[in-house]
Amino acid sequence: MTAMQFDARFLDRLRDAFAAQLPGFLPVQRWFGSKAHRIQGVELADCVPVKLQQATALMAFAAVRYDEIPAETYVLPLLWAPNERRSEGAERARVVTVPDRNSPDEVVLTDACEDAEFLSMMVRAIQGGISYVGSRGELQANATTVLAKLLPGTAEPPAGRRMKGEQSNTSVIFGESVILKLFRRVTEGTNPDLEIGLFLTEKAHFRNVPPFAGALEYHTREGKSMTVGMLQEFVPNRGDAWRHTLASLGHYLSESFSRFRRGGDSENELPAFLAGRSVPADLAEIGHALEELIGLLGRRTAELHIALASGDPESDFSPEPFTAGSRESLKRSIHDLVVQNFGLLRAKAGSFPDDLRELAGKALELEDDVLLACHSALDRGIRATCTRIHGDYHLGQVLFTGDDFFIIDFEGEPARPLAERRAKRSPLQDVAGMLRSLQYAARAALLSRQGPFYGGDRDSQILLERLAGHWQTLASARFLADYRETAKGASFLPADPREFDALLRVHLLEKAVYELGYELNNRPEWLRIPLRGIQELAGGGRP
């Protein structure tokens, strides 16, 4: 079988292979987002061939059907190559095998994202505006003026290296020039990551996002479109803010723990700290540098929201009043989210370990309280505007360069429908997301710091919990203070402190319930964090 013999009969066999093999393949992939739901069937929706020098790639679109939730479409870049051309990791990258009608052997299709030539071809396609035709649609590539500055003329892209630790997408860095993001789960319509990236680059000129350079889009014969990939300038960095915060917070916990164990100027310092009455001055100094960075993050977040609210009237980026209709829409969205994720928790709680099952039971008792708290807060008027927002804002969506932050990944929460992710909402949803992320960081650092090094006794655990809680309180307050100061006077901020607090609490609850569904689907071992968050927030505590 030669590289381009992907005829109709082969595609029929490929459809059969998808139906038989992908229900087992998909749930174990990191980028597959519906692990908690049973796959009912998988169909090959389209297959777009991409000719390489000695092989053929197939941009396959898989329609995945479930028993309980709407169908989803996933993109699987596949590669068929002669044995001698396959990479050493080809067997690990195997996706499906297809019977070969001309021989007893099977055609092995591997993940094309493991192939350097395929990845370079995607960048070259964007450079040249090349299109590839499938049986039901067309893959179209296009570039912005930014790309010509990054890769002048017909210059070959530098060698690509695939990023590790990804989840919902596949990203490849080419030298120090550009980064290609291939979306795995795609939806009809323009991906907000592309839409917002283009606006912030070409209209708002916001300097703390990677400039947008080009896109890959799939268009069907019926006029439907999906965003398959996007190209951006690569921003050299020291990793995301999540990793930096965990490292800095770990140092803070270690130093502070040792400080109390050594003793201080007064034997009453530790009891006073545990009782929440006072904090030694040198302890406050330990976390000062990290607190300053959290303040900078608050300012950059406010600047992002100001940029997103700067669209011309009648554009997709012009602010709109937070009306009674806005409040009702948010109520419905939260109601649906609560019913869905609490229902999923109820269905799975019986299989949890005893301590987690008890925690889940306490959270389930608060389902009506969560709904009541959100509805009550939204019954009052909110004098502010709604704008486009990030939509899935947390420490992992921010790159740390060493002295500044760049904000990335504007897709929105992947479990939400595209229309919701594109909708204008209060920027306080992003603020709530970052505040929840700071709590995640505190809990994650706390878990990693408990153990034999600290003695493992109950007193040590209590001290560590108080230290982590103390840091979270300071970090959250600093983030909020710098955010509000920078955004002061913006139309999207409620001027009345009561309205501000009420709307922020609604979004904190909404985010905690979203996290509940995410952890049930992806990281059950992290369930304790949103479960505790729901308990704290539904009990009426202030953010």
Side-chain angles (χ1 to χ4, degrees):
M1 181 176 184
T2 61
M4 286 307 293
Q5 288 179 330
F6 290 98
D7 54 19
R9 284 173 292 184
F10 174 80
L11 291 178
D12 286 340
R13 297 195 298 276
L14 182 58
R15 289 188 185 94
D16 292 340
F18 266 44
Q21 299 172 38
L22 287 194
F25 171 82
L26 291 173
V28 298
Q29 305 308 307
R30 293 192 66 180
W31 41 259
F32 184 68
S34 296
K35 295 180 176 65
H37 299 282
R38 189 173 74 85
I39 295 176
Q40 189 180 61
V42 181
E43 298 174 2
L44 178 63
D46 198 2
C47 197
V48 181
V50 177
K51 184 173 174 53
L52 307 177
Q53 287 187 352
Q54 296 179 337
T56 297
L58 295 172
M59 195 69 82
F61 293 80
V64 186
R65 292 178 287 106
Y66 307 92
D67 289 334
E68 302 170 344
I69 62 173
E72 298 175 325
T73 300
Y74 282 85
V75 176
L76 283 80
L78 303 175
L79 180 77
W80 180 85
N83 291 338
E84 62 272 15
R85 188 187 176 284
R86 292 182 193 168
S87 66
E88 294 180 0
E91 185 61 32
R92 295 192 304 273
R94 176 189 295 244
V95 179
V96 292
T97 57
V98 184
D100 188 343
R101 62 186 177 89
N102 296 322
S103 75
D105 297 328
E106 293 180 313
V107 176
V108 178
L109 297 177
T110 60
D111 184 356
C113 291
E114 296 292 337
D115 185 77
E117 185 186 358
F118 167 77
L119 295 170
S120 294
M121 180 61 76
M122 292 296 96
V123 176
R124 291 201 299 273
I126 294 173
Q127 280 182 290
I130 299 173
S131 296
Y132 301 95
V133 179
S135 57
R136 298 179 181 175
E138 185 175 355
L139 185 66
Q140 298 179 357
N142 56 80
T144 70
T145 56
V146 169
L147 186 55
K149 300 175 184 177
L150 300 174
L151 296 175
T154 58
E156 286 287 315
R161 64 183 189 277
R162 186 169 173 173
M163 292 181 63
K164 299 179 180 179
E166 307 163 68
Q167 293 187 358
S168 60
N169 304 308
T170 297
S171 296
V172 182
I173 301 170
F174 294 85
E176 298 295 313
S177 302
V178 294
I179 179 169
L180 174 67
K181 179 192 292 185
L182 292 174
F183 299 106
R184 292 297 194 152
R185 179 167 54 185
V186 295
T187 307
E188 181 182 342
T190 302
N191 191 302
D193 205 0
L194 185 159
E195 186 180 20
I196 293 176
L198 185 61
F199 173 80
L200 291 175
T201 300
E202 296 194 345
K203 299 294 184 181
H205 305 292
F206 181 59
R207 66 182 183 87
N208 285 85
V209 292
F212 177 81
L216 292 167
E217 296 180 283
Y218 173 73
H219 299 269
T220 70
R221 303 281 190 271
E222 294 78 26
K224 300 177 181 179
S225 65
M226 300 176 179
T227 304
V228 175
M230 59 184 289
L231 198 65
Q232 295 172 290
E233 181 176 350
F234 173 70
V235 177
N237 61 85
R238 297 184 182 180
D240 59 42
W242 170 259
R243 295 177 186 175
H244 177 75
T245 300
L246 281 187
S248 299
L249 186 49
H251 173 73
Y252 163 79
L253 290 178
S254 177
E255 291 295 316
S256 299
F257 186 91
S258 299
R259 156 71 173 76
F260 275 123
R261 282 292 184 249
R262 290 194 304 268
D265 297 334
S266 168
E267 62 180 13
N268 294 322
E269 279 188 347
L270 178 56
F273 175 72
L274 293 176
R277 292 195 300 271
S278 65
V279 178
D282 58 340
L283 173 58
E285 191 64 30
I286 293 175
H288 179 70
L290 182 55
E291 185 183 341
E292 287 293 308
L293 283 175
I294 296 298
L296 175 61
L297 181 57
R299 297 194 294 277
R300 293 289 179 259
T301 303
E303 290 164 359
L304 168 69
H305 289 156
I306 292 169
L308 288 174
S310 66
D312 296 330
E314 308 304 322
S315 77
D316 286 335
F317 289 87
S318 61
E320 296 178 354
F322 199 104
T323 63
S326 304
R327 299 200 306 272
E328 290 303 314
S329 176
L330 183 55
K331 281 184 186 179
R332 289 193 300 271
S333 175
I334 293 175
H335 180 273
D336 292 345
L337 185 68
V338 169
V339 170
Q340 176 182 322
N341 289 347
F342 273 76
L344 188 59
L345 177 63
R346 191 173 289 108
K348 290 181 169 293
S351 63
F352 295 163
D354 290 345
D355 60 332
L356 185 57
R357 186 164 59 247
E358 180 181 355
L359 194 60
K362 292 178 180 178
L364 286 169
E365 293 175 358
L366 294 171
E367 181 174 4
D368 290 340
D369 297 275
V370 172
L371 289 171
L372 180 61
C374 292
H375 285 209
S376 297
L378 292 172
D379 280 340
R380 70 181 75 188
I382 303 292
R383 289 166 292 180
T385 58
C386 298
T387 69
R388 296 296 295 271
I389 63 173
H390 185 285
D392 188 23
Y393 198 48
H394 54 77
L395 290 166
Q397 307 286 44
V398 180
L399 299 178
F400 179 58
T401 65
D403 59 6
D404 207 345
F405 295 105
F406 276 72
I407 302 165
I408 60 173
D409 293 342
F410 289 85
E411 292 177 69
E413 292 172 343
R416 292 185 185 273
L418 181 64
E420 285 191 24
R421 290 186 277 141
R422 293 189 69 245
K424 294 173 184 176
R425 303 189 74 180
S426 168
L428 291 187
Q429 178 180 322
D430 285 347
V431 173
M434 189 56 69
L435 293 176
R436 291 290 306 146
S437 191
L438 293 173
Q439 183 181 46
Y440 259 70
R443 297 303 304 178
L446 179 64
L447 292 172
S448 67
R449 292 289 160 178
Q450 289 181 355
F453 180 77
Y454 294 107
D457 57 273
R458 180 58 183 161
D459 288 345
S460 295
Q461 291 182 14
I462 291 174
L463 175 55
L464 285 169
E465 288 172 1
R466 293 295 174 85
L467 287 168
H470 171 68
W471 175 85
Q472 180 195 338
T473 299
L474 290 179
S476 298
R478 180 60 185 269
F479 177 86
L480 263 182
D482 282 56
Y483 176 87
R484 296 180 76 167
E485 178 62 28
T486 305
K488 182 187 298 183
S491 66
F492 52 78
L493 279 193
D496 187 328
R498 293 170 300 178
E499 293 177 14
F500 181 96
D501 289 347
L503 188 55
L504 179 58
R505 183 163 176 255
V506 165
H507 284 302
L508 285 167
L509 276 166
E510 178 190 31
K511 187 64 178 178
V513 175
Y514 174 84
E515 293 161 359
L516 173 64
Y518 182 87
E519 306 304 2
L520 283 166
N521 276 312
N522 298 281
R523 298 183 302 192
E525 67 276 12
W526 286 56
L527 266 173
R528 287 174 174 80
I529 299 178
L531 288 173
R532 288 196 177 100
I534 289 169
Q535 286 187 343
E536 293 170 5
L537 292 163
R542 290 173 60 86

